[in-house]
Amino acid sequence: MTVIDISPSVMQFLLAFIVVAPLLGAVAALLPAPPGLKGRNPDQAVLRHGVTVTGAVLIAAIVLATGFDHDHPATMQATTDISWIPALDVRIHLGIDGISLPLLLLTALLTFLCALYSYFKPPAGPSPKAFTALVLVLESGTLATFAVLDLLLFFLAFEMVLIPMYFLIARWGGDQRRAAAWKFILYTLLGSVVMLLGLLLIGLRSGTFDMVALATDNGRGLTTSVQVIAVLAIGVGLAVKTPMWPLHSWLPDAHTAAPTVGSVLLAGVLLKMGTYGFVRILLPVAPDGMRTFAPYLAAFAVVGIVYGSLACLALARRGAKGDLKRLIAYSSVGHMGFVLLGIATMTPTGVNGALFANIAHGLITGLLFFLAGAVKDRYGTADLDTLAGATGAALYGRAPRLGALLAFAAVASLGLPGLAGFWGEMLTLFGAYSPAEGLSRPAFRTFMAIGAFGTLLTAAYMLIVVRRVCMGEHTPHPELSPATTPADVSEPAGAPEPSGTGPSTATPPRPATAQPGATTARLADIQTYEAATWTPLAALTVLTGLWPAVLLGLTDPAVQKLLAGGKS
């Protein structure tokens, strides 16, 4: 069943357009604008160009989804297969199924929302031309990762996103941005070198780099020792990008230093590339190797769940001087632990839960980072002690709609039933209760119990954050009152001057600050452009929570086929 009947050739064009258009848009962003498109403010013109390109890609992705045959989500659709390097049998092979389509849509949506947000609130830093071009290159590489069906093309797309993200952090980030950017690039590049060796080993030993053919063969052309080595090598590279404990230490620094849109794209899109590689490559191509390492992967996953939650609890406590963005980053380590646990079960239930948790994390954590950026812009800091002590009423009294949305995103992140975060965690725990044949049930049930304990820790730190940031301290500290907090503004310092074209980016009048002992000092509440950016994420969080079949109906048949060795 398709929503709209679209011919195969048009579907092929749409998928190719989705992958290539952002790259062409990045080149166009760096070129001088034609005289008629310069406008009176060239900076706003190039940011508008980013919105236009990402919007066109999102529309194409939605049309592609409407033309997708939902009755056969396990079948590769919109495929293009062209010989590229005959000597190595490397082909430009593109296609989507029920596993990759949701990730494609998520990437297109988040990038468009980031471009829209940046148009109304440009990040402080160098030329908007470079910023727009880097975001578009990042989008192209991420979309290609989810669309290509050749191992070497997958590696190229996987690496394509590293340089743009490095510069987004290093040039447009906050404090300690250069150190965070270097840590990000070194970790990911070293992991990628090892991953490339594993991909070459599979391709050379099996005689093909085609991911569909390798999945159909289901490891029968590879010896167990080759599979074990390949899983170890490829898994290290994917685990760094996921990130899996203990290879996660680059993530909190990168998130803390990155600009708001950089954090949204890093958490919402880039982390999904690692877990996608586990599902698309390692599970079907090297099942025996995965079975060998599955218990260890599950163990690292549950340690990450508990470790991330304990780190968040430590940051959330009073007097710890914890950073809100850093706390959300550590929460991602825990949430991605659930994804890895689901993959390690090697069961349809667990893998479906992992894929669902992937999408839920992209929606919810993307929204959380948008909100954290907005709070930091208004207060001038993301320090939790300052946010909690600035006034006894905090966000509920100063910007009630912003406070309510932050509370909504927090309870969605802790896995409240009826919201998107619930289903992924529940399914991964069910998968761990009954893992695949050959895996130790006692061990995985132990992992399930530890993971379930991690959900309680998640609820604890998220509720502490809501209480402190949204409600504030019961007794305001004079040294942290708004009267002595000069950063209590609605826009950050250095916002661009208003122009004759595009939206005004002028700093609005400073809100009235509270006198010492006052309980409410109004802040700018959710602005129109912020509502336009954040509403789709909140709505999809509710929709997928109330109607999980939207995702599971796509992923389940594809997962069943993948785990069965290409047989439906």
Side-chain angles (χ1 to χ4, degrees):
M1 178 194 72
T2 59
V3 179
I4 301 175
D5 190 14
I6 302 178
S7 68
S9 58
V10 175
M11 292 284 284
Q12 290 176 351
F13 170 78
L14 285 172
L15 184 57
F17 174 82
I18 288 168
V19 173
V20 175
L23 201 57
L24 298 177
V27 174
L30 296 175
L31 297 175
L37 297 179
K38 284 184 178 179
R40 293 168 60 185
N41 188 331
D43 288 349
Q44 288 291 347
V46 74
L47 292 171
R48 184 168 58 246
H49 167 77
V51 176
T52 302
V53 174
T54 56
V57 171
L58 177 59
I59 292 171
I62 293 172
V63 174
L64 184 72
T66 59
F68 186 82
D69 186 356
H70 292 263
D71 286 337
H72 300 90
T75 303
M76 284 294 172
Q77 302 178 37
T79 55
T80 299
D81 193 0
I82 303 170
S83 178
W84 184 34
I85 307 176
L88 296 176
D89 194 29
V90 178
R91 310 182 68 82
I92 299 177
H93 192 183
L94 306 177
I96 55 168
D97 63 358
I99 294 173
S100 53
L101 179 61
L103 291 167
L104 207 73
L105 289 168
L106 177 68
T107 301
L109 173 65
L110 283 177
T111 313
F112 170 71
L113 296 179
C114 285
L116 183 65
Y117 186 84
S118 299
Y119 174 57
F120 289 95
K121 190 170 187 57
S127 165
K129 274 192 170 187
F131 175 83
T132 302
L134 289 170
V135 170
L136 290 174
V137 172
L138 185 69
E139 180 183 32
S140 180
T142 311
L143 291 169
T145 301
F146 299 137
V148 298
L149 297 173
D150 184 276
L151 288 180
L152 291 186
L153 277 184
F154 175 86
F155 177 77
L156 292 177
F158 198 86
E159 297 304 292
M160 184 176 169
V161 305
L162 300 185
I163 300 303
M165 182 54 69
Y166 167 81
F167 281 109
L168 285 175
I169 297 172
R171 302 298 300 277
W172 285 269
D175 296 337
Q176 305 297 320
R177 60 182 182 270
R178 294 190 183 277
W182 273 110
K183 197 171 186 179
F184 163 77
I185 200 74
L186 288 176
Y187 264 77
T188 49
L189 278 179
L190 289 174
S192 298
V193 169
V194 180
M195 184 176 74
L196 176 60
L197 297 177
L199 294 174
L200 290 174
L201 177 64
I202 288 177
L204 296 176
R205 287 302 183 95
S206 63
T208 181
F209 290 98
D210 187 87
M211 293 160 65
V212 176
L214 288 167
T216 303
D217 187 64
N218 201 220
R220 287 182 285 271
L222 300 171
T223 64
T224 301
S225 59
V226 169
Q227 290 189 38
V228 168
I229 295 172
V231 168
L232 181 60
I234 298 172
V236 168
L238 298 175
V240 170
K241 187 65 71 70
T242 297
M244 180 186 77
W245 181 91
L247 303 174
H248 69 284
S249 61
W250 60 270
L251 183 71
D253 292 339
H255 271 309
T256 304
T260 296
V261 296
S263 292
V264 171
L265 292 175
L266 181 57
V269 177
L270 265 67
L271 302 189
K272 311 301 174 283
M273 295 166 61
T275 53
Y276 175 78
F278 276 104
V279 174
R280 178 64 75 194
I281 299 174
L282 294 185
L283 278 178
V285 175
D288 293 338
M290 271 298 293
R291 195 170 286 106
T292 299
F293 283 105
Y296 304 101
L297 179 63
F300 284 127
V302 296
V303 170
I305 292 170
V306 175
Y307 170 82
S309 299
L310 292 177
C312 290
L313 282 171
L315 290 170
R317 77 179 190 274
R318 184 182 302 182
K321 291 294 181 182
D323 185 277
L324 180 59
K325 290 183 68 176
R326 194 173 189 85
L327 183 144
I328 299 171
Y330 272 110
S331 77
S332 292
V333 176
H335 288 304
M336 298 312 290
F338 280 102
V339 178
L340 291 173
L341 177 61
I343 294 170
T345 67
M346 299 183 69
T347 62
T349 301
V351 176
N352 275 302
L355 294 172
F356 200 105
N358 248 350
I359 300 299
H361 180 265
L363 296 172
I364 297 169
T365 308
L367 178 59
L368 277 171
F369 274 116
F370 269 131
L371 294 169
V375 170
K376 185 174 182 179
D377 290 339
R378 285 159 169 78
Y379 281 93
T381 180
D383 177 74
L384 288 169
D385 288 334
T386 303
L387 298 179
T391 175
L395 281 181
Y396 284 159
R398 310 186 72 193
R401 287 187 291 274
L402 179 61
L405 191 56
L406 178 61
F408 165 82
V411 297
S413 182
L414 64 83
L416 185 72
L419 298 177
F422 171 73
W423 296 104
E425 294 181 2
M426 186 193 71
L427 289 172
T428 57
L429 294 177
F430 279 172
Y433 182 81
S434 183
E437 185 179 352
L439 298 179
S440 170
R441 281 199 173 192
F444 271 83
R445 289 182 180 179
T446 303
F447 298 147
M448 180 199 72
I450 298 173
F453 176 68
T455 63
L456 300 179
L457 295 177
T458 303
Y461 71 73
M462 277 299 178
L463 292 177
I464 290 173
V465 169
V466 170
R467 179 180 61 79
R468 298 195 69 210
V469 176
C470 295
M471 301 177 186
E473 303 289 4
H474 294 296
T475 304
H477 298 288
E479 68 273 13
L480 296 176
S481 68
T484 58
T485 307
D488 185 12
V489 295
S490 297
E491 299 289 340
E497 293 297 324
S499 62
T501 60
S504 172
T505 56
T507 301
R510 294 169 64 90
T513 56
Q515 299 303 315
T519 56
T520 56
R522 302 295 291 184
L523 290 174
D525 212 333
I526 296 178
Q527 306 295 301
T528 302
Y529 73 92
E530 292 174 329
T533 305
W534 303 339
T535 299
L537 299 178
L540 287 171
T541 298
V542 175
L543 175 64
T544 52
L546 295 177
W547 192 15
V550 171
L551 280 178
L552 295 176
L554 284 172
T555 61
D556 185 52
V559 168
Q560 297 275 2
K561 181 177 180 180
L562 205 68
L563 295 177
K567 303 180 181 69
S568 300

